[in-house]
Amino acid sequence: MSAYFVHESSYIDEDVTIGEGTKVWHFSHIQSGAVIGKNCSFGQNVNISNNVKIGNGVKVQNNVSIYEGVELEDYVFCGPSMVFTNDTTPRAKYPKGNAGYKKTILREGATVGANATIVCGHTIGKWAMIAAGAVVTKDVPNHALMAGVPARQIGWVCECGEVLPDNLICPVCGKKLER
């Protein structure tokens, strides 16, 4: 018995590491060199490209591709059909390969909403929240709430996910955000 679950319709390449308790659901593909932590969940039609590193407790909803050059730290949430990129100037005729990919990092606890786009080469800070449909074109501070096209900061969020009032004290869990 395996320490993780892979649905029979999914495909796992050779040289992949998958942590205990992780679940890979329907029609997903994990490519060689990928390293996935414990207790993650990958929904239907998820593609994890070569050499991608994913931490523990990550949740990736349906229809998400995590391209080479993207790294997800622990407890990151990727909403349905959100998009990562890894090349700011792609050309089919002139492929750069992985040497041309720009690194994108989502720090611990970051959340990306449904249909948002993360343009490569940026870092999304710890516990930041990207609204559904937003397009991130620059680095995002820890705990920032980002929305719009291009995404702009519209507030702050607590680690628990609550939007913070002006005093930065969470009305749900009582934590105070120190900036």
Side-chain angles (χ1 to χ4, degrees), residues 27-45:
F27 312 114
S28 293
H29 182 192
I30 301 176
Q31 297 178 30
S32 65
V35 176
I36 298 170
K38 297 177 182 178
N39 301 313
C40 296
S41 177
F42 300 95
Q44 180 174 304
N45 194 37

Side-chain angles (χ1 to χ4, degrees), residues 88-99:
T88 55
T89 57
R91 293 285 196 208
K93 187 174 179 180
Y94 303 103
K96 298 178 195 93
N98 60 6

Side-chain angles (χ1 to χ4, degrees), residues 6 33 35 40 44 58 77 95 101-102 109 112 120 129 132 137-138 146 156 169 173 178:
V6 177
V35 176
C40 296
Q44 180 174 304
V58 170
F77 178 90
Y101 299 156
K102 297 196 184 274
V112 180
C120 60
M129 187 170 289
T137 60
K138 60 185 179 182
M146 306 289 286
W156 299 99
I169 298 172
C173 72
E178 302 295 334

Side-chain angles (χ1 to χ4, degrees), residues 81-165:
S81 302
M82 61 81 49
V83 176
F84 288 106
T85 67
N86 64 3
D87 185 343
T88 55
T89 57
R91 293 285 196 208
K93 187 174 179 180
Y94 303 103
K96 298 178 195 93
N98 60 6
Y101 299 156
K102 297 196 184 274
K103 187 128 179 100
T104 300
I105 301 172
L106 275 66
R107 298 287 183 206
E108 178 184 6
T111 290
V112 180
N115 291 303
T117 298
I118 309 299
V119 176
C120 60
H122 302 292
T123 298
I124 309 300
K126 289 182 178 183
W127 306 105
M129 187 170 289
I130 311 302
V135 177
V136 173
T137 60
K138 60 185 179 182
D139 288 351
V140 173
N142 294 344
H143 293 273
L145 175 60
M146 306 289 286
V149 179
R152 299 195 191 299
Q153 186 172 356
I154 61 168
W156 299 99
V157 290
C158 182
E159 184 175 322
C160 76
E162 190 69 19
V163 176
L164 295 173

